[in-house]
Amino acid sequence: MVGVVKQPAADRLSDTLGRPLRDLRISVTDRCNFRCPYCMPAEVFGRDFRFLERSQLLTFEEVARVVRVAAGLGVRKVRLTGGEPLLRRNLERLVAMIAEVEGVDDVALTTNGVLLAGKAKALRGAGLSRVTVSLDSLDDATFRTMNGVDFSPAPVLEGIAAAQRAGLSPIKLNTVVKRGVNEDSVIELARYARRNGCVLRVIEYMDVGASNGWRLDDVVPAAEVMSRIDAQMPLEPLDPQYRGEVARRYRYRDGGGEVGFIASVTQPFCGDCTRARLAADGVLHTCLFATAGHDLRPLLRGDGSDAELEQALRGIWSARGDRYSELRSAATAGLRKVEMSYIGG
Ligand code: SAM
Ligand code: SF4
Ligand code: SF4
């Protein structure tokens, strides 16, 4: 037909609220060596907890296939997460497979950092673009409380240093702030991040999952943390770098780097949410607060073709209307949401 320019498929795919699919977060395991009370409280995730069986986990080949098809629909960024992703053996092999996918220009990892020192070089060599390390306090006792298993922060700090040596700078540090537990750790973390060329990202404690006993009273609003930091180390706001950026970024007026705030409770950002999440067993979720997902395993393990997989992803994304954080209310509080350690943070 004369005059009709065929658009690449990716340009046309959007959900019911006009949001494209750009990011894929992949949980590679639901297991973790920490028991952070805000994520996997030890009382719930104890000896009797039934984690996914090995046979239920997607293989690296299956994950890479989903990434390839999703990249054809617009995914540009992939983040490996969990549970603790570094518990998955040979993760660098998966990184290499994803880094090769045409269209994917960013492969990131979120980790608690405990096993990072031994892995950073191999991950970088495999094509990892960036790493985010979760670090809730530098204070020994507070850190031990926040991780629920009495680990000291030392191995995490070693992991950060090793990642920097491997060329994974600048490293982002994720800090979830819980009222009365680690709010006093934030200034020291901000100073540590500045000194070491890391970017601190302060995250509001969210009501993900059904087991952390979340109460609004435990949330420290990002604006409050921002004022605390600003009072000691003056800040000024930065413009967003791209659509869908979840962190509100500020820079230190003295040129000492930047800090971001993820205010998903007090200032929701669903309007720009372009993320899908693939759980370790192949169930795809279109919202962090989902109550159910879409099982891709029958397609991946049966004889589904790539075209069928693409059709399924297209159908799921175009029907999406999630905006949980904007709707967060008493009406949704009783829903049984999936756990973050399963769906991938
Ligand atoms: N285990 C890895 C880690 O901790 O970095 C990756 C998975 S973890 C689920 C990903 C991120 O989610 C971490 O930065 C963690 O702090 C954050 N997170 C977990 N539960 C949360 C909650 N209830 N509210 C806000 N952030 C949370
Ligand atoms: Fe594990 Fe990360 Fe959850 Fe902590 S936040 S329990 S490190 S998955
Ligand atoms: Fe995206 Fe759901 Fe979070 Fe809103 S609540 S930003 S739709 S993941």
Side-chain angles (χ1 to χ4, degrees):
M1 261 193 303
V2 181
V4 177
V5 180
K6 198 165 178 260
Q7 295 285 319
D11 291 347
R12 294 195 305 263
L13 181 62
S14 56
D15 69 6
T16 61
L17 301 173
R19 299 168 296 188
L21 172 61
R22 290 284 179 263
D23 314 71
L24 185 61
R25 298 199 167 195
I26 302 170
S27 171
V28 293
T29 176
D30 59 340
R31 292 169 196 259
C32 190
N33 43 0
F34 277 9
R35 287 293 178 273
C36 308
Y38 54 72
C39 178
M40 297 178 76
E43 319 79 80
V44 179
F45 294 85
R47 274 179 195 285
D48 299 335
F49 187 82
R50 290 185 62 125
F51 289 102
L52 294 171
E53 302 287 340
R54 171 101 212 148
S55 61
Q56 292 175 284
L57 300 183
L58 292 191
T59 63
F60 289 168
E61 285 69 23
E62 288 167 335
V63 172
R65 185 170 164 213
V66 176
V67 173
R68 240 183 354 261
V69 172
L73 294 173
V75 164
R76 296 290 166 265
K77 292 165 131 191
V78 174
R79 180 172 291 276
L80 300 177
T81 177
E84 174 46 44
L86 294 182
L87 290 182
R88 185 87 186 246
R89 230 171 293 152
N90 300 323
L91 190 71
E92 58 277 17
R93 197 165 74 78
L94 178 62
V95 170
M97 290 163 80
I98 295 173
E100 251 174 26
V101 173
E102 203 185 315
V104 172
D105 48 34
D106 191 52
V107 188
L109 170 79
T110 305
T111 172
N112 62 26
V114 170
L115 301 171
L116 186 57
K119 278 285 180 182
K121 218 169 146 194
L123 290 165
R124 179 61 175 163
L128 189 74
S129 328
R130 299 181 296 129
V131 65
T132 298
V133 179
S134 302
L135 181 60
D136 293 332
S137 184
L138 289 163
D139 174 70
D140 195 70
T142 310
F143 187 72
R144 286 174 195 266
T145 306
M146 288 299 278
N147 65 49
V149 286
D150 218 21
F151 265 70
S152 97
V156 182
L157 301 184
E158 280 164 29
I160 293 169
Q164 287 179 320
R165 284 195 301 277
L168 284 162
S169 301
I171 291 170
K172 286 193 182 135
L173 301 179
N174 272 3
T175 300
V176 175
V177 187
K178 209 169 163 191
R179 179 75 77 198
V181 184
N182 67 333
E183 57 193 296
D184 292 335
S185 298
V186 174
I187 296 291
E188 202 190 349
L189 281 164
R191 289 194 200 285
Y192 167 85
R194 276 165 55 101
R195 248 191 346 264
N196 289 282
C198 302
V199 178
L200 182 67
R201 301 212 310 177
V202 176
I203 303 177
E204 284 178 350
Y205 171 38
M206 292 185 287
D207 49 338
V208 280
S211 57
N212 62 11
W214 184 88
R215 296 176 320 137
L216 190 56
D217 287 354
D218 294 330
V219 178
V220 183
E224 184 183 322
V225 182
M226 201 274 281
S227 311
R228 273 191 184 218
I229 298 177
D230 183 50
Q232 305 267 334
M233 294 164 269
L235 294 169
E236 62 190 13
L238 286 167
D239 289 331
Q241 286 168 308
Y242 53 88
R243 180 179 179 191
E245 188 171 56
V246 295
R248 296 192 181 204
R249 299 181 308 119
Y250 289 77
R251 64 178 210 97
Y252 294 106
R253 286 178 191 267
D254 67 2
E258 64 171 79
V259 54
F261 298 88
I262 303 184
S264 24
V265 178
T266 60
Q267 297 163 320
F269 38 76
C270 302
D272 275 339
C273 179
T274 55
R275 288 177 295 281
R277 293 180 152 83
L278 183 66
D281 58 355
V283 178
L284 189 81
H285 298 85
T286 55
C287 180
L288 185 52
F289 298 92
T291 49
H294 309 266
D295 192 357
L296 301 181
R297 252 186 324 172
L299 272 174
L300 292 168
R301 300 229 159 142
D303 53 6
S305 64
D306 280 2
E308 285 171 289
L309 185 57
E310 181 188 319
Q311 210 44 48
L313 294 181
R314 231 174 229 294
I316 293 164
W317 193 261
S318 45
R320 174 188 192 238
D322 304 291
R323 51 191 195 100
Y324 177 86
S325 284
E326 288 180 351
L327 301 173
R328 184 181 275 113
S329 69
T332 53
L335 296 178
R336 188 153 184 96
K337 294 163 285 175
V338 294
E339 296 298 329
M340 194 162 181
S341 50
Y342 161 69
I343 194 177

